[in-house]
Amino acid sequence: QKEVEQDPGPLSVPEGAIVSLNCTYSNSAFQYFMWYRQYSRKGPELLMYTYSSGNKEDGRFTAQVDKSSKYISLFIRDSQPSDSATYLCAMSANYGGSQGNLIFGKGTKLSVKP
Amino acid sequence: DAGITQSPRHKVTETGTPVTLRCHQTENHRYMYWYRQDPGHGLRLIHYSYGVKDTDKGEVSDGYSVSRSKTEDFLLTLESATSSQTSVYFCAISDDEKLFFGSGTQLSVL
């Protein structure tokens, strides 16, 4: 079993839909959870950063962590064509310092149709 | 891209030739990283640096070396490029909490 599993998609939704993106993980030591957005031919950009369990909201984006189920989600409300990108989850056990211990999912490709 | 410049943006080279990719940051962050991204594998860490002249290996370091002689520059060298090193290479920097990526270098080894 890989440490982080993420459905690669592709996921296609109509504009305005609520999108749910998910990752599961096996290492119970993970405490820091991130979502990155990557547009085609660009580097990943940090979208959401959460610590431990719970929810975090930023505009149309909500990140949710369920450590008991080892499951994290990213919800996008009122999705827009500009949200079309690949979304990568990432997680680590340790705070800051070297991020050489950051583990990435393989990414889910999202397409939002006008 | 968070004050990170990667050069070159694209490179085509032949098997067996040496290749050096450069990452330059203007953020004065302590930590710098080199990742490669391949279909089906996602992002994988090659090497990272936690200070000038301080580097360590990542998950896929074989065939790669790095150097960091200044805080702002982190070089990735392929001593003798192979076709399996065809990939998109990303430099990243960290402010001790979050990771920020450059725009990437597309490398093709023919």
Side-chain angles (χ1 to χ4, degrees), chain A residues 11-82:
Chain A
L11 180 62
S12 183
V13 300
E15 183 175 355
I18 296 174
V19 176
S20 173
L21 304 167
N22 311 293
C23 287
T24 59
Y25 62 95
S26 57
N27 188 345
S28 58
F30 288 150
Q31 299 187 79
Y32 301 90
F33 304 93
M34 291 136 244
W35 285 96
Y36 284 82
R37 178 176 60 195
Q38 186 176 20
Y39 291 115
S40 181
R41 303 183 192 283
K42 297 286 188 181
E45 58 175 320
L46 183 63
L47 201 57
M48 299 288 282
Y49 179 91
T50 55
Y51 168 70
S52 195
S53 286
N55 293 359
K56 184 174 182 178
E57 190 173 318
D58 184 1
R60 297 183 296 110
F61 298 89
T62 299
Q64 197 170 78
V65 175
D66 183 350
K67 290 189 70 181
S68 63
S69 301
K70 297 191 182 68
Y71 189 86
I72 69 170
S73 301
L74 177 71
F75 297 97
I76 307 174
R77 290 184 300 281
D78 187 26
S79 57
Q80 303 295 309
S82 59

Side-chain angles (χ1 to χ4, degrees), chain A residues 96-114:
Chain A
S98 167
Q99 290 289 340
N101 53 12
L102 197 61
I103 306 298
F104 284 88
K106 293 180 181 177
T108 299
K109 188 170 184 178
L110 171 68
S111 178
V112 181
K113 304 295 187 184

Side-chain angles (χ1 to χ4, degrees), chain B residues 12-50:
Chain B
V12 180
T13 191
E14 293 184 348
T15 299
T17 60
V19 176
T20 295
L21 308 183
R22 180 177 182 251
C23 178
H24 178 80
Q25 63 149 327
T26 58
E27 306 296 322
N28 200 37
H29 286 341
R30 176 182 175 188
Y31 300 98
M32 298 185 75
Y33 310 82
W34 279 106
Y35 286 86
R36 60 178 289 175
Q37 187 175 39
D38 305 285
H41 291 279
L43 278 163
R44 293 181 291 175
L45 183 66
I46 304 171
H47 281 280
Y48 64 99
S49 169
Y50 44 94

Side-chain angles (χ1 to χ4, degrees), chain B residues 15-16 36 80-87 107-110:
Chain B
T15 299
R36 60 178 289 175
S80 178
T82 67
S83 58
S84 65
Q85 293 175 311
T86 291
S87 185
L107 176 67
S108 297
V109 184
L110 305 178

Side-chain angles (χ1 to χ4, degrees), chain A residues 38 41-45, chain B residues 1-6 9 23-24 33-35 88-93 99-105:
Chain A
Q38 186 176 20
R41 303 183 192 283
K42 297 286 188 181
E45 58 175 320
Chain B
D1 288 312
I4 307 169
T5 303
Q6 289 187 235
R9 290 298 312 276
C23 178
H24 178 80
Y33 310 82
W34 279 106
Y35 286 86
V88 180
Y89 291 85
F90 287 102
C91 174
I93 64 176
L99 201 61
F100 303 95
F101 286 86
S103 297
T105 294

